[in-house]
Amino acid sequence: MKTTKEEIWVFGDYRNYFRNRVTLQLLAKAADLASQKGNPVCAVIFGSDVKEYVDEYIAHGAEKVYVIDHASLKGYLVETYVVLMETLVRRYKPEMVLVGATCFGREFAPRVAKRLKTGLTADCVNLSMNEDALLVQTAPAFGGNLLAKIITPHHKPQMATVRPGVFKELPHDYGATGEIVNVPIPKRLPKSGVRLISSEHEPHRTSKIEDAKIVVCGGRGMGSKQKFKKLFALAELLGGEVGATRPVVYSNWADHDALIGQAGRQIKPQLLLSFGISGAIQHTAALSDAKFIIAVNKNPEAPMMKMADVAIVADANQVCSAMIREIKERIRA
Ligand SMILES: Cc1cc2nc3c(=O)[nH]c(=O)nc-3n(C[C@H](O)[C@H](O)[C@H](O)COP(=O)(O)OP(=O)(O)OC[C@H]3O[C@@H](n4cnc5c(N)ncnc54)[C@H](O)[C@@H]3O)c2cc1C
């Protein structure tokens, strides 16, 4: 079976929804890509009792949703999901498949691409369409030192994973309608080597760093775990989130969740406060959407200082403590 028009598919990664919004972000980008040639924007979803997500995807731009809804799909098993996706792609032949670069997407998408013998660009930070209507997939390469633009001209579908927070979702449209294609679960599915015993939500903060308006980010220049803790106090006073560089995460001063950069999160705050960070490309690649940056560093020549709107040449610790003092005084006044 072949679809009449070349569809753009977005894989429905609804785990940790409402917090995880990457599928909605990809639907918005798919709509943008589709505007050139009028490709239908579709979502694909597997699971059990997934109607609320189907409605959500339609409200966020999906014109059609392919659904495999079955009790046996309650828990995610990569072997099963990969086979389901392969089956649907072979049957409906979409032009492109976009997947969120979440832990789940990073495990799932390459396996699907391998089975379909097509290419996959992982961890894209931008997508566009060229004059030949090929998907131009922009991703950091060579340790993040350059951004590569990759196309997949000879194999279909064109596949990419995209980091959460890179694109903006469309507003929720309560009046939107879409076609729902209910696909029966295939009779034969691979026997999984993994048995899901139970699953539990990891407790998390109320806000996500990708969506934070204020981010207080610290690097090795903070000096120690003890001193780094001041950044949490400052972020709390400002109603922001704490981000960190890789050495900080590796030294266990902050969780991996806080890592900002090529190997971590992409952020787009209104205000970024950067303390004791040199500004390596692997870190700054994730800051391009920050609106206003204040950097504190002892070295005025550090790339982070060059990138900042306001560069303060000083000891990061002292400036952080002074800011905390000043804010507390203003709150008291
Ligand atoms: C494949 C790959 C992926 C990577 N991914 C990431 C990533 O996702 N995120 C990331 O952050 N890094 C990543 N890195 C590491 C990256 O290259 C840098 O090593 C890292 O960002 C540097 O972190 P930093 O700025 O905290 O430390 P440093 O580079 O050591 O800089 C410390 C800065 O603090 C300043 N300083 C020192 N003392 C003080 C003080 N008292 N007051 C004020 N300033 C002071 C120094 O002048 C210096 O500029 C990656 C590297 C590779 C190879």
Side-chain angles (χ1 to χ4, degrees), residues 210-241:
E210 287 96 337
D211 302 324
K213 298 271 180 283
I214 299 178
V215 174
V216 177
C217 205
R220 189 159 24 203
M222 283 305 290
S224 69
K225 186 170 186 169
Q226 201 54 33
K227 291 175 181 165
F228 193 88
K229 278 185 185 161
K230 286 185 194 166
L231 299 183
F232 288 98
L234 180 60
E236 197 170 343
L237 285 168
L238 292 171
E241 295 285 319

Side-chain angles (χ1 to χ4, degrees), residues 143-144 218-222 244-248 259-264 275-283 296-299 302 314-317:
R220 189 159 24 203
M222 283 305 290
T245 60
R246 193 166 79 163
V248 164
L259 178 63
I260 305 300
Q262 186 197 327
F275 289 92
I277 293 178
S278 58
I281 178 83
Q282 293 87 357
H283 176 73
V296 187
N297 197 306
K298 284 204 303 199
N299 176 8
D315 179 85
N317 245 296

Side-chain angles (χ1 to χ4, degrees), residues 66-230:
Y66 293 92
V67 188
I68 304 186
D69 194 326
H70 193 268
S72 67
L73 300 178
K74 195 166 182 349
Y76 158 71
L77 287 172
V78 67
E79 294 103 321
T80 313
Y81 272 45
V82 164
V83 170
L84 295 180
M85 194 62 170
E86 183 194 2
T87 309
L88 288 197
V89 170
R90 290 197 189 282
R91 189 180 302 172
Y92 296 101
K93 302 190 175 19
E95 181 65 21
M96 300 171 198
V97 175
L98 310 179
V99 181
T102 56
C103 296
F104 165 75
R106 284 178 172 147
E107 176 182 55
F108 166 80
R111 287 173 160 84
V112 175
K114 165 76 170 54
R115 292 181 79 104
L116 294 167
K117 296 194 169 48
T118 188
L120 169 85
T121 306
D123 274 14
C124 290
V125 292
N126 200 9
L127 297 173
S128 58
M129 195 97 94
N130 72 9
E131 56 284 358
D132 300 323
L134 287 170
L135 182 67
V136 181
Q137 306 150 55
T138 306
F142 296 106
N145 288 316
L146 59 87
L147 288 174
K149 292 190 173 204
I150 297 165
I151 54 171
T152 315
H154 304 302
H155 295 86
K156 295 285 162 64
Q158 302 166 75
M159 287 189 66
T161 63
V162 178
R163 295 182 190 181
V166 172
F167 303 124
K168 280 200 183 74
E169 67 193 57
L170 294 171
H172 190 109
D173 178 357
Y174 290 95
T177 52
E179 184 188 347
I180 298 174
V181 181
N182 281 302
V183 183
I185 191 162
K187 288 212 170 63
R188 275 196 212 170
L189 283 173
K191 202 167 160 31
S192 176
V194 178
R195 189 162 56 92
L196 182 67
I197 297 167
S198 69
S199 66
E200 226 169 86
H201 277 286
E202 191 185 343
H204 47 67
R205 295 163 302 184
T206 48
S207 135
K208 267 183 67 177
I209 199 157
E210 287 96 337
D211 302 324
K213 298 271 180 283
I214 299 178
V215 174
V216 177
C217 205
R220 189 159 24 203
M222 283 305 290
S224 69
K225 186 170 186 169
Q226 201 54 33
K227 291 175 181 165
F228 193 88
K229 278 185 185 161
K230 286 185 194 166

